[in-house]
Coordinates of all heavy atoms in Angstrom, one line a residue:
M237 N -9.0 8.2 14.0 CA -8.6 7.7 12.8 C -7.3 6.9 12.9 O -6.5 7.2 13.8 CB -8.4 8.8 11.7 CG -9.7 9.2 11.1 SD -9.5 10.3 9.7 CE -9.4 11.8 10.5
V238 N -7.1 5.9 12.0 CA -5.9 5.1 12.0 C -5.2 5.3 10.7 O -5.8 5.3 9.6 CB -6.2 3.6 12.2 CG1 -5.0 2.7 12.1 CG2 -7.0 3.4 13.5
Y239 N -3.9 5.6 10.8 CA -3.1 5.9 9.6 C -2.1 4.7 9.4 O -1.6 4.2 10.3 CB -2.2 7.2 9.8 CG -3.1 8.4 10.1 CD1 -3.5 8.7 11.4 CD2 -3.5 9.2 9.1 CE1 -4.3 9.8 11.6 CE2 -4.3 10.3 9.3 CZ -4.7 10.6 10.6 OH -5.5 11.6 10.9
V240 N -2.0 4.3 8.1 CA -1.1 3.2 7.8 C -0.2 3.6 6.7 O -0.6 4.2 5.7 CB -2.0 1.9 7.4 CG1 -1.0 0.8 6.9 CG2 -2.9 1.5 8.5
I241 N 1.1 3.2 6.9 CA 2.1 3.3 5.8 C 2.6 1.9 5.5 O 3.2 1.3 6.4 CB 3.3 4.2 6.2 CG1 2.7 5.6 6.5 CG2 4.3 4.3 5.1 CD1 3.8 6.5 7.2
A242 N 2.2 1.4 4.4 CA 2.6 0.0 4.0 C 3.6 0.1 2.9 O 3.3 0.7 1.9 CB 1.4 -0.8 3.6
S243 N 4.8 -0.5 3.1 CA 5.8 -0.4 2.1 C 6.1 -1.8 1.5 O 6.3 -2.8 2.3 CB 7.1 0.1 2.7 OG 6.9 1.4 3.2
V244 N 6.1 -1.9 0.2 CA 6.4 -3.1 -0.5 C 7.6 -2.9 -1.3 O 7.7 -2.0 -2.1 CB 5.2 -3.5 -1.4 CG1 5.5 -4.8 -2.2 CG2 3.9 -3.7 -0.7
T245 N 8.6 -3.8 -1.0 CA 9.8 -3.8 -1.9 C 9.5 -4.8 -3.0 O 9.2 -6.0 -2.7 CB 11.1 -4.2 -1.1 OG1 11.2 -3.3 0.0 CG2 12.3 -4.2 -2.0
V246 N 9.5 -4.3 -4.2 CA 9.2 -5.1 -5.4 C 10.5 -5.7 -6.0 O 11.5 -5.1 -6.0 CB 8.5 -4.2 -6.4 CG1 8.1 -5.0 -7.6 CG2 7.2 -3.6 -5.8
K247 N 10.3 -7.0 -6.4 CA 11.5 -7.6 -7.0 C 12.0 -6.8 -8.2 O 11.2 -6.2 -8.9 CB 11.1 -9.0 -7.5 CG 10.8 -10.0 -6.3 CD 10.4 -11.3 -6.8 CE 10.1 -12.3 -5.6 NZ 9.5 -13.6 -6.1
A248 N 13.3 -6.8 -8.4 CA 13.9 -6.1 -9.5 C 13.3 -6.4 -10.8 O 13.0 -7.6 -11.1 CB 15.4 -6.4 -9.6
G249 N 12.9 -5.4 -11.6 CA 12.3 -5.6 -12.9 C 10.9 -5.9 -12.9 O 10.3 -6.1 -14.0
R250 N 10.2 -5.9 -11.8 CA 8.8 -6.3 -11.7 C 7.9 -5.2 -11.3 O 6.7 -5.4 -11.1 CB 8.6 -7.5 -10.7 CG 9.5 -8.7 -10.9 CD 9.2 -9.5 -12.2 NE 7.9 -9.9 -12.5 CZ 7.5 -11.2 -12.1 NH1 8.2 -12.0 -11.4 NH2 6.2 -11.5 -12.4
M251 N 8.4 -3.9 -11.2 CA 7.6 -2.8 -10.7 C 6.4 -2.5 -11.5 O 5.3 -2.4 -11.0 CB 8.5 -1.5 -10.6 CG 7.8 -0.3 -10.1 SD 7.3 -0.5 -8.3 CE 8.7 0.1 -7.5
E252 N 6.5 -2.4 -12.8 CA 5.3 -2.1 -13.6 C 4.2 -3.2 -13.5 O 3.0 -2.8 -13.4 CB 5.7 -2.0 -15.1 CG 6.4 -0.7 -15.4 CD 6.7 -0.5 -16.9 OE1 5.9 -0.9 -17.7 OE2 7.8 0.1 -17.1
E253 N 4.6 -4.4 -13.5 CA 3.6 -5.5 -13.3 C 2.9 -5.4 -12.0 O 1.7 -5.6 -11.8 CB 4.3 -6.9 -13.4 CG 4.9 -7.2 -14.8 CD 5.7 -8.5 -14.7 OE1 6.8 -8.4 -14.2 OE2 5.2 -9.5 -15.1
F254 N 3.8 -5.2 -10.9 CA 3.2 -5.1 -9.6 C 2.2 -4.0 -9.5 O 1.1 -4.1 -9.0 CB 4.3 -4.9 -8.5 CG 3.8 -4.7 -7.1 CD1 3.3 -5.7 -6.4 CD2 3.7 -3.4 -6.6 CE1 2.8 -5.5 -5.1 CE2 3.1 -3.2 -5.4 CZ 2.7 -4.3 -4.6
I255 N 2.5 -2.8 -10.0 CA 1.6 -1.6 -9.9 C 0.4 -1.9 -10.7 O -0.7 -1.6 -10.2 CB 2.3 -0.4 -10.4 CG1 3.4 0.1 -9.4 CG2 1.3 0.8 -10.6 CD1 4.3 1.2 -9.9
E256 N 0.4 -2.5 -11.8 CA -0.8 -2.9 -12.6 C -1.7 -3.8 -11.8 O -2.9 -3.5 -11.7 CB -0.4 -3.5 -13.9 CG -1.5 -3.9 -14.8 CD -1.1 -4.5 -16.1 OE1 -0.1 -4.1 -16.7 OE2 -1.7 -5.5 -16.5
V257 N -1.1 -4.8 -11.2 CA -1.9 -5.8 -10.4 C -2.5 -5.1 -9.2 O -3.7 -5.2 -8.9 CB -1.1 -7.0 -10.0 CG1 -1.8 -7.8 -9.0 CG2 -0.7 -7.8 -11.2
F258 N -1.7 -4.3 -8.5 CA -2.1 -3.6 -7.3 C -3.3 -2.7 -7.5 O -4.3 -2.7 -6.8 CB -0.9 -2.9 -6.7 CG -1.2 -2.4 -5.3 CD1 -0.7 -3.1 -4.2 CD2 -1.8 -1.2 -5.0 CE1 -0.9 -2.7 -2.9 CE2 -2.1 -0.8 -3.7 CZ -1.6 -1.5 -2.6
K259 N -3.1 -1.9 -8.6 CA -4.2 -0.9 -8.9 C -5.5 -1.5 -9.3 O -6.6 -0.9 -9.1 CB -3.7 0.0 -10.0 CG -2.7 1.1 -9.6 CD -2.4 2.0 -10.7 CE -1.6 3.2 -10.2 NZ -1.4 4.2 -11.3
R260 N -5.5 -2.8 -9.8 CA -6.8 -3.5 -10.0 C -7.5 -3.7 -8.8 O -8.8 -3.8 -8.8 CB -6.5 -4.8 -10.8 CG -6.2 -4.7 -12.2 CD -6.3 -6.0 -12.9 NE -5.4 -6.9 -12.4 CZ -4.4 -7.6 -13.1 NH1 -4.4 -7.4 -14.4 NH2 -3.6 -8.4 -12.5
H261 N -6.8 -3.8 -7.6 CA -7.5 -4.1 -6.4 C -7.9 -2.9 -5.6 O -8.7 -3.0 -4.6 CB -6.6 -5.0 -5.5 CG -6.4 -6.4 -6.1 ND1 -7.3 -7.4 -5.8 CD2 -5.5 -6.9 -7.0 CE1 -6.9 -8.5 -6.5 NE2 -5.8 -8.2 -7.2
V262 N -7.4 -1.8 -5.9 CA -7.6 -0.5 -5.2 C -9.1 -0.2 -5.0 O -9.6 0.1 -3.9 CB -6.8 0.7 -5.7 CG1 -7.3 2.0 -5.2 CG2 -5.3 0.4 -5.5
P263 N -9.9 -0.3 -6.1 CA -11.3 0.1 -5.9 C -12.1 -0.8 -4.9 O -12.9 -0.3 -4.2 CB -11.9 -0.1 -7.4 CG -10.8 0.1 -8.3 CD -9.6 -0.5 -7.5
A264 N -11.8 -2.1 -4.9 CA -12.4 -3.0 -3.9 C -12.0 -2.6 -2.5 O -12.9 -2.6 -1.6 CB -12.0 -4.4 -4.2
V265 N -10.8 -2.2 -2.3 CA -10.4 -1.8 -0.9 C -11.0 -0.5 -0.5 O -11.5 -0.3 0.6 CB -8.8 -1.7 -0.8 CG1 -8.4 -1.2 0.6 CG2 -8.2 -3.1 -1.0
R266 N -11.1 0.5 -1.5 CA -11.7 1.8 -1.2 C -13.1 1.6 -0.9 O -13.7 2.5 -0.2 CB -11.5 2.7 -2.3 CG -10.0 3.2 -2.5 CD -9.8 4.2 -3.6 NE -8.5 4.6 -3.7 CZ -7.9 5.2 -4.7 NH1 -8.7 5.4 -5.8 NH2 -6.7 5.6 -4.7
A267 N -13.8 0.6 -1.3 CA -15.2 0.4 -1.1 C -15.5 -0.3 0.3 O -16.6 -0.3 0.7 CB -15.8 -0.5 -2.2
E268 N -14.4 -0.7 0.9 CA -14.6 -1.4 2.2 C -15.1 -0.4 3.3 O -14.7 0.8 3.3 CB -13.3 -2.0 2.7 CG -12.8 -3.2 1.9 CD -11.5 -3.8 2.3 OE1 -10.6 -3.0 2.8 OE2 -11.4 -5.0 2.2
K269 N -15.8 -0.9 4.2 CA -16.4 -0.1 5.3 C -15.2 0.5 6.1 O -14.3 -0.2 6.5 CB -17.3 -0.9 6.2 CG -17.9 -0.1 7.3 CD -18.8 -0.8 8.2 CE -19.4 0.1 9.2 NZ -20.2 -0.5 10.2
G270 N -15.2 1.8 6.3 CA -14.2 2.5 7.1 C -13.0 3.0 6.4 O -12.1 3.6 7.0
C271 N -12.9 2.7 5.1 CA -11.7 3.1 4.3 C -11.9 4.6 3.9 O -12.9 4.9 3.2 CB -11.5 2.3 3.1 SG -10.0 2.8 2.1
I272 N -11.0 5.4 4.3 CA -11.0 6.9 4.0 C -10.1 7.2 2.9 O -10.4 7.9 2.0 CB -10.7 7.7 5.2 CG1 -11.8 7.5 6.3 CG2 -10.6 9.2 4.9 CD1 -11.5 8.1 7.7
Q273 N -8.9 6.5 2.9 CA -7.9 6.7 1.9 C -7.1 5.5 1.7 O -6.7 4.8 2.6 CB -7.0 7.9 2.3 CG -5.8 8.1 1.3 CD -4.9 9.2 1.8 OE1 -5.3 10.3 1.9 NE2 -3.6 8.9 2.1
Y274 N -6.8 5.2 0.4 CA -6.0 4.0 0.1 C -5.3 4.3 -1.2 O -5.9 4.3 -2.3 CB -6.9 2.8 0.0 CG -6.1 1.4 -0.1 CD1 -5.7 0.8 1.1 CD2 -5.8 0.8 -1.3 CE1 -5.1 -0.4 1.1 CE2 -5.2 -0.4 -1.3 CZ -4.8 -1.0 -0.1 OH -4.2 -2.2 -0.1
V275 N -4.0 4.8 -1.1 CA -3.3 5.3 -2.3 C -1.9 4.7 -2.4 O -1.0 5.0 -1.6 CB -3.2 6.9 -2.2 CG1 -2.5 7.5 -3.4 CG2 -4.5 7.5 -2.0
P276 N -1.7 3.9 -3.5 CA -0.3 3.5 -3.8 C 0.5 4.6 -4.3 O 0.0 5.3 -5.2 CB -0.5 2.3 -4.8 CG -1.8 2.6 -5.4 CD -2.7 3.4 -4.4
T277 N 1.7 4.8 -3.8 CA 2.6 5.8 -4.3 C 4.0 5.3 -4.6 O 4.4 4.2 -4.0 CB 2.7 7.0 -3.3 OG1 3.4 6.5 -2.1 CG2 1.4 7.5 -2.9
I278 N 4.7 6.0 -5.4 CA 6.1 5.7 -5.7 C 6.9 7.0 -5.5 O 6.4 8.1 -5.5 CB 6.4 5.1 -7.1 CG1 5.9 6.0 -8.2 CG2 5.8 3.7 -7.2 CD1 6.2 5.5 -9.6
D279 N 8.2 6.8 -5.2 CA 9.1 8.0 -5.0 C 9.1 8.9 -6.2 O 9.1 8.5 -7.3 CB 10.5 7.6 -4.7 CG 10.6 7.0 -3.3 OD1 9.6 6.9 -2.6 OD2 11.8 6.6 -2.9
F280 N 9.0 10.2 -5.9 CA 9.0 11.3 -6.8 C 10.3 12.0 -6.6 O 10.6 12.6 -5.6 CB 7.8 12.2 -6.6 CG 7.7 13.4 -7.5 CD1 7.7 13.2 -8.9 CD2 7.7 14.7 -6.9 CE1 7.5 14.4 -9.7 CE2 7.5 15.8 -7.7 CZ 7.5 15.6 -9.1
V281 N 11.2 11.9 -7.6 CA 12.5 12.5 -7.4 C 12.5 14.0 -7.5 O 11.9 14.6 -8.4 CB 13.5 12.0 -8.5 CG1 14.9 12.6 -8.4 CG2 13.6 10.5 -8.5
T282 N 13.0 14.7 -6.4 CA 13.0 16.1 -6.3 C 14.4 16.6 -5.9 O 15.3 15.7 -5.7 CB 12.0 16.6 -5.2 OG1 12.4 16.2 -3.9 CG2 10.6 16.1 -5.5
D283 N 14.6 17.8 -5.6 CA 15.8 18.4 -5.2 C 15.8 18.5 -3.6 O 16.7 19.1 -3.1 CB 16.1 19.7 -5.8 CG 16.4 19.7 -7.3 OD1 16.9 18.6 -7.7 OD2 16.1 20.6 -8.0
A284 N 14.9 17.9 -3.0 CA 14.8 18.0 -1.5 C 16.1 17.3 -0.9 O 16.4 16.1 -1.2 CB 13.6 17.3 -1.0
P285 N 16.8 18.0 -0.1 CA 18.1 17.5 0.4 C 18.0 16.3 1.3 O 18.9 15.5 1.3 CB 18.7 18.7 1.1 CG 17.6 19.6 1.4 CD 16.6 19.4 0.4
A286 N 17.0 16.1 2.0 CA 16.9 15.0 2.9 C 16.1 13.8 2.3 O 16.0 12.8 2.9 CB 16.1 15.4 4.2
Q287 N 15.7 13.9 1.0 CA 15.0 12.8 0.4 C 15.8 11.6 0.2 O 16.9 11.6 -0.3 CB 14.4 13.3 -0.9 CG 13.5 12.3 -1.6 CD 12.9 12.8 -2.9 OE1 13.3 13.8 -3.4 NE2 11.9 12.1 -3.4
V288 N 15.2 10.4 0.5 CA 15.8 9.1 0.3 C 15.0 8.5 -0.8 O 13.8 8.3 -0.6 CB 15.8 8.3 1.5 CG1 16.3 6.9 1.2 CG2 16.6 8.9 2.6
I289 N 15.6 8.1 -1.9 CA 14.9 7.5 -3.0 C 15.0 6.0 -2.9 O 16.1 5.4 -2.8 CB 15.5 8.0 -4.4 CG1 15.4 9.5 -4.5 CG2 14.8 7.3 -5.6 CD1 14.0 10.0 -4.5
E290 N 13.9 5.3 -3.0 CA 13.9 3.8 -3.0 C 13.2 3.4 -4.3 O 11.9 3.4 -4.4 CB 13.1 3.3 -1.8 CG 13.8 3.7 -0.5 CD 13.1 3.2 0.7 OE1 11.9 3.7 0.9 OE2 13.6 2.4 1.5
K291 N 13.9 3.0 -5.3 CA 13.4 2.8 -6.6 C 12.5 1.6 -6.7 O 11.6 1.6 -7.5 CB 14.6 2.5 -7.6 CG 15.4 3.8 -7.8 CD 16.5 3.5 -8.8 CE 17.4 4.8 -9.0 NZ 18.5 4.6 -9.9
N292 N 12.7 0.6 -5.9 CA 11.8 -0.6 -6.0 C 10.8 -0.7 -4.9 O 10.4 -1.8 -4.5 CB 12.7 -1.9 -5.9 CG 13.5 -2.1 -7.2 OD1 13.1 -1.6 -8.3 ND2 14.6 -2.7 -7.1
V293 N 10.4 0.4 -4.4 CA 9.4 0.4 -3.2 C 8.1 1.1 -3.6 O 8.1 2.2 -4.2 CB 10.0 1.1 -2.0 CG1 9.0 1.2 -0.9 CG2 11.2 0.3 -1.5
V294 N 7.0 0.5 -3.3 CA 5.7 1.1 -3.5 C 5.2 1.3 -2.0 O 5.2 0.4 -1.2 CB 4.7 0.2 -4.2 CG1 3.3 0.8 -4.1 CG2 5.1 0.0 -5.7
T295 N 4.9 2.6 -1.7 CA 4.4 3.0 -0.4 C 2.9 3.2 -0.5 O 2.5 4.1 -1.2 CB 5.2 4.2 0.1 OG1 6.6 3.9 0.1 CG2 4.7 4.5 1.5
N296 N 2.1 2.5 0.2 CA 0.7 2.7 0.2 C 0.3 3.5 1.4 O 0.6 3.2 2.6 CB 0.0 1.3 0.3 CG -1.4 1.4 -0.3 OD1 -1.6 1.9 -1.4 ND2 -2.4 1.0 0.5
L297 N -0.4 4.6 1.2 CA -0.8 5.5 2.2 C -2.3 5.3 2.5 O -3.1 5.4 1.6 CB -0.6 7.0 1.8 CG 0.8 7.3 1.3 CD1 0.9 8.7 0.8 CD2 1.8 7.1 2.5
E298 N -2.6 4.9 3.7 CA -4.0 4.5 4.1 C -4.5 5.3 5.3 O -3.7 5.6 6.2 CB -4.0 3.0 4.4 CG -3.4 2.1 3.4 CD -3.3 0.7 3.8 OE1 -4.1 0.2 4.7 OE2 -2.4 0.0 3.3
I299 N -5.8 5.6 5.3 CA -6.4 6.1 6.4 C -7.7 5.3 6.6 O -8.5 5.1 5.7 CB -6.8 7.6 6.3 CG1 -5.5 8.5 6.0 CG2 -7.5 8.1 7.5 CD1 -5.8 9.9 5.7
W300 N -7.9 4.8 7.9 CA -9.1 4.1 8.2 C -9.8 4.8 9.4 O -9.2 5.4 10.2 CB -8.7 2.6 8.7 CG -8.0 1.9 7.5 CD1 -6.7 1.9 7.2 CD2 -8.7 1.2 6.5 NE1 -6.5 1.2 6.0 CE2 -7.7 0.7 5.6 CE3 -10.0 0.8 6.3 CZ2 -8.0 -0.1 4.5 CZ3 -10.3 0.0 5.2 CH2 -9.3 -0.4 4.3
E301 N -11.1 4.6 9.4 CA -11.9 5.3 10.5 C -11.5 4.8 11.9 O -11.5 5.7 12.8 CB -13.4 4.9 10.3 CG -14.0 5.7 9.1 CD -15.5 5.4 9.0 OE1 -16.1 4.6 9.8 OE2 -16.1 5.9 8.0
N302 N -11.2 3.6 12.0 CA -10.8 3.0 13.3 C -10.1 1.7 13.2 O -10.0 1.2 12.1 CB -12.0 2.9 14.2 CG -13.2 2.2 13.5 OD1 -12.9 1.1 12.9 ND2 -14.4 2.7 13.6
M303 N -9.6 1.1 14.3 CA -8.9 -0.2 14.2 C -9.8 -1.3 13.7 O -9.4 -2.2 13.1 CB -8.3 -0.5 15.6 CG -7.0 0.1 15.8 SD -5.7 -0.3 14.5 CE -5.6 -2.1 14.6
A304 N -11.1 -1.2 14.1 CA -12.0 -2.3 13.6 C -12.1 -2.3 12.1 O -12.1 -3.3 11.5 CB -13.4 -2.1 14.2
A305 N -12.1 -1.1 11.5 CA -12.1 -1.0 10.0 C -10.9 -1.6 9.4 O -10.9 -2.3 8.4 CB -12.4 0.4 9.6
L306 N -9.7 -1.2 10.0 CA -8.4 -1.7 9.5 C -8.4 -3.2 9.7 O -8.0 -4.0 8.8 CB -7.3 -1.1 10.3 CG -5.9 -1.6 9.9 CD1 -5.6 -1.5 8.4 CD2 -4.8 -0.9 10.7
Q307 N -8.8 -3.7 10.8 CA -8.8 -5.2 11.0 C -9.7 -5.9 10.0 O -9.4 -7.0 9.5 CB -9.2 -5.5 12.5 CG -8.9 -6.9 12.9 CD -7.4 -7.2 12.9 OE1 -6.6 -6.4 13.2 NE2 -7.1 -8.4 12.5
G308 N -10.9 -5.3 9.7 CA -11.8 -5.9 8.7 C -11.1 -5.9 7.4 O -11.3 -6.9 6.6
H309 N -10.3 -4.9 7.1 CA -9.6 -4.9 5.8 C -8.5 -6.0 5.8 O -8.4 -6.8 4.8 CB -8.9 -3.6 5.6 CG -7.8 -3.6 4.6 ND1 -8.1 -3.8 3.2 CD2 -6.5 -3.4 4.7 CE1 -6.9 -3.8 2.6 NE2 -5.9 -3.5 3.4
V310 N -7.8 -6.1 6.8 CA -6.7 -7.1 6.9 C -7.2 -8.5 6.8 O -6.6 -9.4 6.1 CB -5.9 -6.9 8.2 CG1 -4.9 -8.1 8.5 CG2 -5.1 -5.6 8.2
E311 N -8.4 -8.8 7.4 CA -9.0 -10.1 7.4 C -10.0 -10.3 6.2 O -10.5 -11.4 6.1 CB -9.7 -10.4 8.7 CG -8.7 -10.3 9.9 CD -9.5 -10.4 11.2 OE1 -10.7 -10.3 11.2 OE2 -8.8 -10.5 12.3
G312 N -10.2 -9.3 5.4 CA -11.2 -9.4 4.4 C -10.8 -10.0 3.1 O -9.6 -10.2 2.8
P313 N -11.8 -10.2 2.2 CA -11.6 -10.8 0.9 C -10.7 -9.9 -0.1 O -10.0 -10.4 -0.9 CB -13.0 -11.0 0.3 CG -13.8 -10.1 1.1 CD -13.2 -9.9 2.4
A314 N -10.8 -8.6 0.0 CA -10.1 -7.7 -0.9 C -8.6 -7.9 -0.6 O -7.8 -7.9 -1.5 CB -10.5 -6.3 -0.7
M315 N -8.2 -7.9 0.7 CA -6.8 -8.1 1.0 C -6.3 -9.4 0.6 O -5.2 -9.6 0.1 CB -6.6 -7.8 2.5 CG -5.2 -7.8 2.9 SD -4.3 -6.4 2.2 CE -2.7 -6.7 2.8
A316 N -7.1 -10.5 0.9 CA -6.7 -11.8 0.5 C -6.5 -11.9 -1.0 O -5.5 -12.5 -1.5 CB -7.8 -12.8 0.9
A317 N -7.3 -11.3 -1.8 CA -7.2 -11.3 -3.3 C -5.9 -10.6 -3.7 O -5.2 -11.0 -4.6 CB -8.4 -10.7 -3.9
L318 N -5.7 -9.4 -3.1 CA -4.5 -8.6 -3.4 C -3.2 -9.4 -3.1 O -2.3 -9.5 -3.9 CB -4.5 -7.3 -2.6 CG -3.3 -6.4 -2.7 CD1 -3.1 -6.0 -4.2 CD2 -3.5 -5.2 -1.9
E319 N -3.2 -10.0 -1.9 CA -2.0 -10.8 -1.6 C -1.8 -12.0 -2.5 O -0.7 -12.3 -2.9 CB -2.1 -11.3 -0.1 CG -2.0 -10.3 0.9 CD -2.2 -10.8 2.3 OE1 -2.7 -11.9 2.5 OE2 -1.9 -10.0 3.3
K320 N -2.9 -12.6 -2.9 CA -2.8 -13.8 -3.8 C -2.2 -13.3 -5.2 O -1.4 -14.0 -5.8 CB -4.2 -14.4 -4.0 CG -4.2 -15.5 -5.0 CD -5.6 -16.1 -5.1 CE -5.8 -17.1 -6.2 NZ -5.9 -16.5 -7.6
D321 N -2.7 -12.2 -5.7 CA -2.3 -11.8 -7.0 C -1.0 -11.1 -7.1 O -0.4 -11.0 -8.2 CB -3.4 -10.8 -7.6 CG -4.7 -11.6 -7.9 OD1 -4.7 -12.8 -7.9 OD2 -5.7 -10.9 -8.2
S322 N -0.5 -10.5 -6.0 CA 0.7 -9.7 -6.0 C 1.9 -10.3 -5.4 O 3.0 -9.8 -5.5 CB 0.4 -8.3 -5.4 OG 0.1 -8.4 -4.1
G323 N 1.7 -11.4 -4.6 CA 2.7 -12.0 -3.9 C 4.0 -12.4 -4.7 O 5.1 -12.2 -4.2
E324 N 3.8 -12.8 -5.9 CA 5.0 -13.2 -6.7 C 5.9 -12.1 -7.0 O 7.1 -12.3 -7.4 CB 4.5 -13.9 -8.0 CG 3.9 -12.9 -9.0 CD 3.5 -13.6 -10.3 OE1 4.4 -13.8 -11.1 OE2 2.3 -14.0 -10.4
F325 N 5.4 -10.8 -6.9 CA 6.2 -9.6 -7.2 C 7.0 -9.1 -6.0 O 7.8 -8.2 -6.2 CB 5.4 -8.5 -7.8 CG 4.5 -9.0 -9.0 CD1 3.2 -9.2 -8.9 CD2 5.1 -9.3 -10.2 CE1 2.4 -9.6 -10.0 CE2 4.4 -9.7 -11.3 CZ 3.0 -9.9 -11.2
M326 N 6.6 -9.5 -4.8 CA 7.1 -8.9 -3.6 C 8.3 -9.5 -3.1 O 8.4 -10.7 -3.0 CB 6.0 -8.9 -2.5 CG 4.8 -8.1 -2.9 SD 3.3 -8.2 -1.8 CE 3.9 -8.6 -0.3
E327 N 9.3 -8.7 -2.7 CA 10.5 -9.1 -2.1 C 10.4 -9.0 -0.6 O 10.9 -9.8 0.2 CB 11.7 -8.3 -2.6 CG 13.0 -8.8 -2.2 CD 14.1 -8.1 -2.9 OE1 14.3 -8.3 -4.2 OE2 14.8 -7.3 -2.3
A328 N 9.8 -7.9 -0.1 CA 9.7 -7.6 1.3 C 8.4 -6.7 1.5 O 8.0 -6.1 0.6 CB 10.9 -6.9 1.9
F329 N 7.9 -6.7 2.8 CA 6.7 -6.0 3.1 C 6.8 -5.5 4.5 O 7.2 -6.3 5.4 CB 5.5 -6.9 2.9 CG 4.2 -6.3 3.2 CD1 3.6 -5.4 2.4 CD2 3.5 -6.6 4.4 CE1 2.4 -4.8 2.6 CE2 2.3 -6.0 4.7 CZ 1.7 -5.1 3.8
S330 N 6.5 -4.3 4.8 CA 6.4 -3.8 6.1 C 5.3 -2.8 6.3 O 4.8 -2.2 5.3 CB 7.7 -3.1 6.5 OG 7.9 -1.9 5.8
V331 N 4.8 -2.7 7.5 CA 3.6 -1.9 7.8 C 3.9 -1.0 9.1 O 4.4 -1.6 10.1 CB 2.3 -2.7 8.0 CG1 1.2 -1.9 8.4 CG2 2.0 -3.5 6.8
K332 N 3.5 0.2 9.0 CA 3.5 1.1 10.2 C 2.0 1.5 10.4 O 1.4 2.0 9.5 CB 4.3 2.3 10.0 CG 5.8 2.1 10.0 CD 6.6 3.4 9.9 CE 6.5 4.2 11.1 NZ 7.4 3.9 12.2
V333 N 1.5 1.2 11.6 CA 0.2 1.6 12.0 C 0.3 2.8 13.0 O 1.0 2.6 14.0 CB -0.6 0.4 12.6 CG1 -2.0 0.9 13.0 CG2 -0.7 -0.7 11.6
L334 N -0.3 3.9 12.6 CA -0.1 5.1 13.4 C -1.4 5.8 13.9 O -2.4 5.5 13.3 CB 0.7 6.1 12.5 CG 1.9 5.6 11.8 CD1 2.3 6.4 10.6 CD2 3.1 5.5 12.8
R335 N -1.2 6.6 14.9 CA -2.4 7.4 15.3 C -1.8 8.8 15.5 O -0.6 9.1 15.5 CB -2.9 6.9 16.7 CG -1.9 7.0 17.8 CD -2.6 6.6 19.1 NE -1.6 6.5 20.2 CZ -1.2 7.5 20.9 NH1 -1.6 8.7 20.7 NH2 -0.3 7.3 21.9
E336 N -2.8 9.8 15.5 CA -2.4 11.2 15.6 C -1.7 11.4 16.9 O -2.1 10.9 17.9 CB -3.6 12.0 15.4 CG -3.3 13.5 15.1 CD -4.5 14.3 14.7 OE1 -5.4 13.7 14.0 OE2 -4.5 15.5 15.1
A337 N -0.7 12.2 16.9 CA 0.1 12.6 18.1 C -0.7 13.6 18.9 O -1.5 14.3 18.5 CB 1.5 13.1 17.7

């Protein structure tokens, strides 16, 4: 399996709009071949002493069956549509692609 942590820094004051647009695209991505998990998340404030809060960041937690499935997602129509519709809200974007240790 391939694990992905995708972090989007959203422009100030645009978080609600971004999440609304992003969530519209989630079902199409989840229907892609090899998608096991695709979940947009935001920081949940707790009393955990080591927690770092990032107010303008949406972290997408993904699991794909293999690299071919992830590559299909990256190059596919669902990702292109998501990028087209959400680009105006994004300030920065980073991705970590991980495998089990």
Side-chain angles (χ1 to χ4, degrees):
M237 281 192 271
V238 177
Y239 302 87
V240 177
I241 300 171
S243 297
V244 178
T245 302
V246 179
K247 292 178 182 175
R250 307 295 302 269
M251 181 65 89
E252 287 184 33
E253 292 172 283
F254 175 79
I255 290 172
E256 181 181 319
V257 168
F258 194 96
K259 283 185 170 183
R260 279 194 301 236
H261 292 273
V262 168
V265 175
R266 287 182 180 161
E268 290 178 328
K269 182 177 181 186
C271 181
I272 297 169
Q273 175 180 299
Y274 194 84
V275 181
T277 65
I278 56 174
D279 285 0
F280 178 57
V281 179
T282 69
D283 292 331
Q287 184 177 13
V288 176
I289 302 297
E290 297 177 298
K291 293 180 182 178
N292 289 334
V293 174
V294 173
T295 303
N296 203 53
L297 306 175
E298 308 175 27
I299 301 175
W300 297 89
E301 285 182 4
N302 51 46
M303 274 305 299
L306 175 58
Q307 194 63 36
H309 163 66
V310 170
E311 297 172 355
M315 187 64 182
L318 175 58
E319 288 176 349
K320 177 181 172 279
D321 291 349
S322 64
E324 71 178 276
F325 306 109
M326 295 174 25
E327 188 173 289
F329 179 75
S330 68
V331 175
K332 290 186 69 84
V333 180
L334 309 160
R335 63 178 173 82
E336 195 169 327

